[in-house]
Amino acid sequence: VLKIADGRIKVENEILQGIKVVKQNSWENSFRDVALSRRGEELGQLHHLYNMQSTVFSLGNMLPFIVQFAVFAANGAITGSMEVASSFAIIAIVNVMRMPLQMLPIGMGLLAQANVGLVRMQAYLQQDDVVPSVAASTPGWPIELSPSAAFTWHKAEANMEPTLTLSAAGLRIPKGSLVAVVGMTGSGKSTLLSAMLGEVPIAKGTV
């Protein structure tokens, strides 16, 4: 359920971040269908989850009575009789166990959620460290990309060249100048600015 919810939230965030492009191209219906499809899948899983939770909670409330009945039945089958003292002792023990037995399904659900959180934290903490790619600037040229500068969002496979996302060879912007970055949607304007800030992994060259 959490994985599906993450996918739905990711889609909605992408739609909101690109809402200007969506409106300009009249893509509202298409993206609405995508969002509703993800939401419908999430609701189906939530319906299944809540049915399971209702069943587990019902069994949890019934469990003390089931345990008490089973203990009485086992004691009667083994001893062949049921003394008053033993009966009251069994009832007292089951009453002590009532709350832990009722909290057992809740605890199992919380443990499952904690496990999901730990797995996510582990995956985040085991990510590769970001290597700073921005060097000290040359006097008079606060922004300078080497002739071989290239950037990529894709991690290179073993013994293979990475797929380049942006190539900005030899870009030099002098101090105090006003520069406009223009281009079509998806041409790499935002990626270029992110590369200048050192937020895009550099494949080769220096910034």
Side-chain angles (χ1 to χ4, degrees):
V1 175
L2 294 177
K3 183 178 180 179
I4 296 175
D6 288 343
R8 189 258 306 169
I9 294 173
K10 181 179 179 181
V11 169
E12 292 178 352
N13 287 337
E14 290 177 352
I15 294 173
L16 293 175
Q17 290 174 2
I19 191 63
K20 183 177 180 179
V21 178
V22 173
K23 288 290 186 180
Q24 287 176 345
N25 294 275
S26 299
W27 291 341
E28 296 93 334
N29 293 334
S30 298
F31 281 97
R32 181 195 61 190
D33 294 340
V34 173
L36 290 177
S37 174
R38 294 296 183 95
R39 180 57 177 168
E41 186 178 359
E42 182 184 4
L43 288 175
Q45 293 294 327
L46 287 173
H47 182 74
H48 179 66
L49 174 64
Y50 290 144
N51 285 338
M52 292 182 60
Q53 286 183 347
S54 300
T55 303
V56 171
F57 289 153
S58 299
L59 291 176
N61 291 328
M62 294 171 58
L63 195 57
F65 302 101
I66 297 174
V67 171
Q68 186 173 341
F69 176 78
V71 171
F72 279 129
N75 186 40
I78 294 172
T79 62
S81 62
M82 182 66 67
E83 297 180 357
V84 176
S86 300
S87 300
F88 279 110
I90 292 172
I91 293 174
I93 293 173
V94 172
N95 286 333
V96 172
M97 296 172 58
R98 182 185 300 274
M99 184 58 67
L101 289 174
Q102 290 179 344
M103 294 298 296
L104 180 62
I106 300 176
M108 292 176 63
L110 294 177
L111 285 176
Q113 295 180 9
N115 181 61
V116 172
L118 290 175
V119 170
R120 291 182 177 182
M121 290 179 60
Q122 182 181 10
Y124 173 75
L125 294 175
Q126 289 181 344
Q127 293 286 334
D128 296 333
D129 293 335
V130 177
V131 180
S133 58
V134 179
S137 61
T138 304
W141 298 91
I143 299 178
E144 182 178 7
L145 278 67
S146 65
S148 60
F151 308 88
T152 178
W153 290 111
H154 308 285
K155 188 175 182 180
E157 300 293 337
N159 301 324
M160 294 182 63
E161 290 291 332
T163 302
L164 299 181
T165 302
L166 177 68
S167 178
L171 175 64
R172 303 181 71 186
I173 301 177
K175 183 178 180 180
S177 61
L178 177 63
V179 179
V181 181
V182 297
M184 297 177 60
T185 301
S187 59
K189 302 183 297 297
S190 299
T191 304
L192 176 61
L193 297 177
S194 299
M196 293 177 182
L197 297 174
E199 296 179 355
V200 182
I202 186 168
K204 53 184 178 180
T206 58
V207 180

